[in-house]
Amino acid sequence: GQAQLALVIAPGFGAAIQAGRTGQVQLLVDGAESIAATLGMGYATQILSTRSAELASQRQALPSSAPAIAVRGPTGGVVPQPRIWYNPDLRSRWFYVPAVLALVLMLVTMILSSMGVVREKEIGTMEQLMVTPLRGWQLIAGKLLPFALVGLVDLLLVLGIAVFWFEVPLRGSVLLLVGLSLALILNTLALGLLVSTVVRTQQQAMMASAFLVMFPMIYLSGLL
């Protein structure tokens, strides 16, 4: 995370240029932030193209007896040879299907939990629950545990569809993925519970959870 772009000049680059051979440089780009990566690649490509044009002009200015400076490409330009890690073929389903997994977990658990408590207030049974011997954590657990189980079932269902139907390769620890998904489910359930304690109707709960919480999370996550 300390650098978004690195330019690696291969050993012997200067000697290769002076000898008339093709010099190679490597450009490493962190693609986690696509906008910054695209800008960085644009600036680096412009710098390399400018230097390539300078070498081409020097090559044309040399006398016939002097060693020629080889520049890669038919017109003296830079020919990029990109290699993408983790998804070398740039298959769209490898990008979007895992993101849809997180999106489904967030939508289902947050909407259900946001309407769980407010429903009691809307139909007037919240006062009855308050006078029962139930403690606060027991009431919250009773409201959220069923939705957590629904989220866990959705996790296994979408994960199975992603691997066996869309053939997205699952490499790494499945237990780690499930553990991190449970952490996400706990956060979305808590956000839904927070929304349900603020609003008064189920319609308000759905609108607040969708437009005030979920939409900013979806847009800022980079999914779109």
Side-chain angles (χ1 to χ4, degrees), residues 76-149:
V78 177
V79 178
Q81 298 177 353
R83 183 178 62 183
I84 310 298
W85 284 2
Y86 309 118
N87 191 1
D89 297 332
L90 294 178
R91 298 180 180 177
S92 60
R93 64 177 182 270
W94 286 17
F95 285 121
Y96 288 108
V97 173
V100 169
L101 171 61
L103 183 63
V104 168
L105 291 180
M106 181 181 66
L107 290 175
V108 172
T109 55
M110 188 176 299
I111 290 179
L112 290 178
S113 61
S114 64
M115 293 189 297
V117 177
V118 72
R119 181 177 180 274
E120 304 293 342
K121 296 192 296 184
E122 191 175 6
I123 63 179
T125 56
M126 179 59 69
E127 291 78 8
Q128 299 178 9
L129 291 175
M130 294 175 62
V131 298
T132 59
L134 288 176
R135 297 183 179 180
W137 67 269
Q138 293 174 338
L139 176 60
I140 294 177
K143 286 293 183 181
L144 298 186
L145 278 180
F147 304 145
L149 293 177

Side-chain angles (χ1 to χ4, degrees), residues 120-203:
E120 304 293 342
K121 296 192 296 184
E122 191 175 6
I123 63 179
T125 56
M126 179 59 69
E127 291 78 8
Q128 299 178 9
L129 291 175
M130 294 175 62
V131 298
T132 59
L134 288 176
R135 297 183 179 180
W137 67 269
Q138 293 174 338
L139 176 60
I140 294 177
K143 286 293 183 181
L144 298 186
L145 278 180
F147 304 145
L149 293 177
V150 172
L152 183 60
V153 172
D154 285 339
L155 166 65
L156 299 178
L157 179 62
V158 177
L159 189 60
I161 294 176
V163 174
F164 297 107
W165 183 271
F166 290 99
E167 298 180 351
V168 177
L170 179 60
R171 297 170 183 166
S173 175
V174 179
L175 294 178
L176 178 60
L177 176 61
V178 174
L180 295 177
S181 300
L182 290 177
L184 173 65
I185 290 174
L186 289 178
N187 280 273
T188 53
L189 287 176
L191 287 173
L193 181 63
L194 176 62
V195 171
S196 66
T197 57
V198 175
V199 299
R200 295 185 177 182
T201 63
Q202 297 184 55
Q203 184 178 6

